[in-house]
Amino acid sequence: MDRTIRWDGFHNTRDLGGLPTRDGTTRRGAFYRGADPRFVTAAGWARARAAGVRTVIDLRNPAEIPPDPPPPGLIRMNVPIDDADDMDFWEYVRDPGLDGSPLYYPLFLERKAARCAELVETLARAAPGGVLFHCVSGRDRAGLTALLLLSLAGVEPEAIAADYALSTEAVQPLYAALGVEDQGSLIASLLAQRGTTTTGAVLAALDGFDAREYLLAAGVSGAALDDLRRRLVAPAR
């Protein structure tokens, strides 16, 4: 099942629909994960609108966002999930080389529950229609967002990890367009040194993780989580 989005100018973008859950499948056209939209053309945005996308949630920090007008006909919201001002946290993450891989997810989930709660509440409040969330590469911050959504939907950890792993190759055209070096080999080497892989690191982050319990403890209301799950899951017939 190909979930890749090929609208003009979109990179590392895919529909989170079509994945099996405990009691159905994730709904197509509800949530999309993606990367920096700077290359998206007017035709690309038109195709997104035609597919039902109505809200774009930018996960980047304000300093990363160019002063471009919002896509026409779409609502744009900014949820800078990183909490970049917490320099002590990010120094702690970067010093052992956890940043840029799912190795940092468990620590982020532990220390930044309030940020995750704000993000999930924003997703739950999004206007009717499809929601596209993105960061720069569409891998790490978008990957964490997808992990929360898919885990809440009841998608098996192996499928969540497989979705994350798709970005390894899917991000390559974006890096080429940006003229930046891919850090994939360095990240793979770092993971290997720690005796794991991209998939293994995502599975480790999900081991024992209950998204609903976590988000309730972080302050998200049960009603918001129920609404979000209904939006995410198409019950089996």
Side-chain angles (χ1 to χ4, degrees):
M1 182 185 303
D2 187 3
R3 296 181 290 113
T4 302
I5 298 301
R6 296 182 176 84
W7 305 326
D8 297 354
F10 281 86
H11 288 95
N12 193 18
T13 302
R14 53 191 174 273
D15 192 335
L16 291 187
L19 297 173
T21 71
R22 289 186 294 270
D23 52 0
T25 60
T26 50
R27 196 184 303 275
R28 285 189 171 274
F31 289 94
Y32 301 85
R33 59 179 294 173
D36 188 335
R38 73 177 66 186
F39 299 108
V40 177
T41 65
W45 286 122
R47 290 195 65 186
R49 290 195 303 275
V53 175
R54 294 296 178 266
T55 303
V56 177
I57 297 180
D58 193 331
L59 306 173
R60 296 175 294 180
N61 302 309
E64 298 176 277
I65 302 174
D68 298 333
L74 298 175
I75 300 167
R76 184 168 70 179
M77 307 170 75
N78 180 216
V79 184
I81 190 174
D82 267 352
D83 194 12
D85 290 338
D86 188 351
M87 299 178 67
D88 289 341
F89 172 79
W90 287 107
E91 182 177 344
Y92 183 76
V93 168
R94 290 178 180 128
D95 184 51
L98 302 182
D99 194 18
S101 80
L103 289 171
Y104 88 91
Y105 284 178
L107 185 61
F108 190 93
L109 290 168
E110 176 188 345
R111 302 282 186 89
K112 299 297 176 183
R115 288 282 172 159
C116 293
E118 179 187 358
L119 169 62
V120 168
E121 287 173 346
T122 302
L123 291 165
R125 292 195 308 267
V131 178
L132 166 68
F133 57 87
H134 73 88
C135 51
V136 175
S137 69
R139 182 180 57 193
D140 298 310
R141 287 170 284 191
L144 182 64
T145 305
L147 181 149
L148 288 167
L149 283 172
L150 295 177
S151 181
L152 180 64
V155 175
E156 291 296 329
E158 290 77 10
I160 299 174
D163 177 73
Y164 181 97
L166 291 173
S167 290
T168 301
E169 294 299 326
V171 77
Q172 299 303 321
L174 173 64
Y175 286 151
L178 292 172
V180 299
E181 182 180 358
D182 175 27
Q183 299 297 309
S185 296
L186 179 62
I187 293 170
S189 176
L190 173 66
L191 290 165
Q193 290 171 23
R194 294 170 181 270
T196 189
T197 61
T198 293
T199 296
V202 175
L203 290 175
L206 288 165
D207 186 25
F209 179 72
D210 185 308
R212 184 178 178 85
E213 289 185 5
Y214 170 81
L215 292 165
L216 286 171
V220 183
S221 72
L225 294 177
D226 290 341
D227 287 345
L228 190 55
R229 197 173 187 284
R230 280 192 290 270
R231 193 168 181 165
L232 272 164
V233 178
R237 295 181 179 178

